[in-house]
Amino acid sequence: MKKRLVFVLNSLGVFLAMLLVWRGIIAAFNVPAYMLPTPWMVTVAFGEHLNGILSALLITTEEAVLGIVSAVILGVLIALIFARSEWIRRLLFPYTVLLQTVPIMAVTPLIIMWVGPGQAAVTLVAFIFCVSSIIANTTQGLISVNDDLVALFLMHNASPAQVLAKLRLPHSLPYLFVGIRISSGLAVIGAITGELFAGSSRVGQGGLGYSILYAMAQMQTDLLFALVIASTILGFAFFFTATFLEWLMLHKWHESAAVSRLES
Amino acid sequence: MSAPGIPEVLLTNVTKRFGPSAAPVLDAISLTVERGEFVTLLGPSGCGKSTLLKLVAGLSPITSGEITVNGMTPVNARPIVSFVFQDATLLPWRTVEKNVALALELEGRPRDETAQTTQSLLQLVDLSHVAQHYPRQLSGGMKMRVSIARALATRPRVLLMDEPFAALDEITRDRMNEELLRLRAEQDWTVLFVTHSVAEAIFLSSRVIILAPHPGRIAHELTIDLPWPRTAETRESEAFDALVNRASRLLREAHRA
């Protein structure tokens, strides 16, 4: 407990030192506010635009959540098909890797052209950012079951449904959560990237990405900083939620349940 | 109950190849195991003894010959057979209790029957105090006891054991050997056991089959006439030593031939 307090105080100290350096640079080099606002100006901008920032945050959250949830649902379904048939897996798996290696940022304009701008397009971009790591990890989990365990199930005349429900699915859960943890960051990045291109279908209303573009156009650098901070908080919240869910589901039986590592 | 005279496990001229042009792993194995026997297949690694066990379990098809278990094909005989693997192969997401209940659950037995059987088995292997623990909290020996309890839950007539204690240290292994014989005195099953430990084979078995490698074939058969019940003292007897020496010599000869 005491160790933890020291750690928190240290982190706080580092944070304050960084603010001081920030403020110091502005004072030393006479940086104009439209290039780099002071920490205090950013704080004020945060307060002034609180309603706008919160509603942007809400919109982006909605898109990112929908993106990752649909990626989990569809990704697990696809992984089930891949695990069922080696033939299909060999044929199609390379394309899911392709999905991961293609710079999705570059494809985003195409998606917006096809779907039209707005939340649906942004959600789709977030989904595409997430889905390949869900598919890859879950497939790995479903097919890496120990042969002896499959033999054990066969010895007791287990049906294919029982092998799936009582063996393959629980075995793949830690793998799925690795995918979710990776996707949690990507969902937020995907949603903001989507918004940078797709913005909003309604003028003046959009998520964080849209608001960042708006602030940039208006040269409101203090608001821009506030929005970047809000985006960072959102990304962290997603990662934390994913890690917590993983801990909740796995800590009782799985060696690698993540939080114990974070705490130590 | 089966008609008298039907052997529990009967292998007639069993040959196994992995692939049509591959050299045989097992060549013309014939073996009869009667009800109540404890037969051990003893041999160096690579002699096909684990493969033989998988054939009897119907987990792998035979190339030629015939295997019957209590007069049935290996696949049809599965309800009366349990398999104990070299690793404990417990499901890490299930508690000890739920792991023991697995086989009964898969076979769709009623819940209260499952719970009752599980409780009494945990008592039998002396693990009631860790019923709610998860496998990762257990030692290697405890995991193996859970694995054996799980195998016994379906009240098998035939127990196939594939080097179940190979991963344990010698002290734990000796204790598990004694425990296995104690369990067998309470519930009578026929055992086909695989090991490469000579002392383990002699201690446990009523009969030891020594296998020679390349291709796997029966080299010698040794009847173990040590008195029952066998305890830790059995290992200190001269008769035990003599049998170990003899089996070791036969094993060496089989390996050289």
Side-chain angles (χ1 to χ4, degrees), chain A residues 147-203:
Chain A
D147 283 342
D148 282 348
L149 278 173
V150 178
L152 173 77
F153 273 63
L154 290 180
M155 285 301 295
H156 295 291
N157 288 323
S159 65
Q162 281 176 321
V163 174
L164 185 64
K166 291 180 194 284
L167 181 58
R168 290 194 191 275
L169 280 177
H171 176 80
S172 67
L173 210 56
Y175 295 80
L176 170 63
F177 271 109
V178 170
I180 290 178
R181 205 161 6 107
I182 296 168
S183 297
S184 66
L186 291 175
V188 174
I189 296 171
I192 291 174
T193 307
E195 286 165 354
L196 287 179
F197 287 93
S200 160
S201 50
R202 286 159 294 174
V203 178

Side-chain angles (χ1 to χ4, degrees), chain B residues 114-149:
Chain B
T114 301
Q116 234 168 40
T117 311
T118 305
Q119 291 310 324
S120 64
L121 273 169
L122 283 175
Q123 247 160 39
L124 195 66
V125 296
D126 195 22
L127 285 176
S128 301
H129 60 294
V130 291
Q132 303 307 323
H133 283 45
Y134 285 86
R136 68 171 178 143
Q137 298 165 282
L138 306 182
S139 68
M142 282 165 120
K143 280 183 194 163
M144 201 28 92
R145 264 144 73 199
V146 178
S147 183
I148 290 171

Side-chain angles (χ1 to χ4, degrees), chain A residues 146 148-149 151-158 162 166-168 170-171 250-255, chain B residues 54 57 59 78-79 81-83 85 89 91-94 102-103 105-107 134 136 150 154:
Chain A
N146 183 331
D148 282 348
L149 278 173
L152 173 77
F153 273 63
L154 290 180
M155 285 301 295
H156 295 291
N157 288 323
Q162 281 176 321
K166 291 180 194 284
L167 181 58
R168 290 194 191 275
H171 176 80
L250 304 180
H251 75 279
K252 276 192 186 144
W253 62 272
H254 199 255
E255 313 282 351
Chain B
K54 291 225 155 73
L59 292 170
R78 277 181 184 162
V81 178
S82 277
F83 202 107
F85 299 89
T89 60
L91 301 179
W93 53 87
R94 283 175 172 245
L102 176 74
E105 211 180 291
L106 290 175
E107 291 179 5
Y134 285 86
R136 68 171 178 143
R150 177 182 64 191
T154 50

Side-chain angles (χ1 to χ4, degrees), chain A residues 214-228:
Chain A
Y214 177 84
M216 198 175 87
Q218 303 282 316
M219 291 285 266
Q220 287 182 298
T221 319
D222 49 355
L223 176 58
L224 195 59
F225 263 77
L227 287 164
V228 168

Side-chain angles (χ1 to χ4, degrees), chain B residues 195-206:
Chain B
T195 185
H196 54 240
S197 158
V198 177
E200 183 175 61
I202 304 291
F203 181 77
L204 291 172
S205 318
S206 53

Side-chain angles (χ1 to χ4, degrees), chain B residues 51-71:
Chain B
T51 306
L52 186 62
L53 217 55
K54 291 225 155 73
L55 297 181
V56 176
L59 292 170
S60 176
I62 54 176
T63 308
S64 66
E66 197 190 13
I67 297 180
T68 60
V69 179
N70 195 236

Side-chain angles (χ1 to χ4, degrees), chain B residues 41-234:
Chain B
L41 304 168
L42 178 65
S45 21
C47 72
K49 52 196 193 304
S50 292
T51 306
L52 186 62
L53 217 55
K54 291 225 155 73
L55 297 181
V56 176
L59 292 170
S60 176
I62 54 176
T63 308
S64 66
E66 197 190 13
I67 297 180
T68 60
V69 179
N70 195 236
M72 295 175 273
T73 66
V75 171
N76 286 340
R78 277 181 184 162
I80 62 161
V81 178
S82 277
F83 202 107
V84 179
F85 299 89
Q86 179 170 350
D87 298 314
T89 60
L90 303 179
L91 301 179
W93 53 87
R94 283 175 172 245
T95 58
V96 165
E97 186 182 60
K98 294 275 180 200
N99 263 293
V100 175
L102 176 74
L104 298 170
E105 211 180 291
L106 290 175
E107 291 179 5
R109 306 280 182 90
R111 258 167 201 240
D112 46 343
E113 185 203 319
T114 301
Q116 234 168 40
T117 311
T118 305
Q119 291 310 324
S120 64
L121 273 169
L122 283 175
Q123 247 160 39
L124 195 66
V125 296
D126 195 22
L127 285 176
S128 301
H129 60 294
V130 291
Q132 303 307 323
H133 283 45
Y134 285 86
R136 68 171 178 143
Q137 298 165 282
L138 306 182
S139 68
M142 282 165 120
K143 280 183 194 163
M144 201 28 92
R145 264 144 73 199
V146 178
S147 183
I148 290 171
R150 177 182 64 191
L152 298 181
T154 50
R155 300 205 140 272
R157 283 174 62 108
V158 178
L159 208 53
L160 305 174
M161 307 183 92
D162 186 8
E163 302 192 44
F165 309 130
L168 305 179
D169 61 84
E170 207 178 327
I171 298 166
T172 312
R173 174 194 277 224
D174 285 351
R175 227 184 38 235
M176 294 294 294
N177 283 171
E178 289 150 29
E179 202 164 326
L180 185 63
L181 290 185
R182 177 178 67 81
L183 291 173
R184 187 159 165 271
E186 289 184 36
Q187 312 183 333
D188 76 309
W189 358 273
T190 305
V191 187
L192 194 53
F193 192 95
V194 161
T195 185
H196 54 240
S197 158
V198 177
E200 183 175 61
I202 304 291
F203 181 77
L204 291 172
S205 318
S206 53
R207 194 149 54 101
V208 173
I209 311 288
I210 293 170
L211 294 176
H214 315 298
R217 61 201 187 281
I218 294 176
H220 296 284
E221 226 186 279
L222 213 56
T223 303
I224 310 300
D225 45 14
L226 294 170
W228 303 90
R230 294 177 190 167
T231 59
E233 284 79 56
T234 307

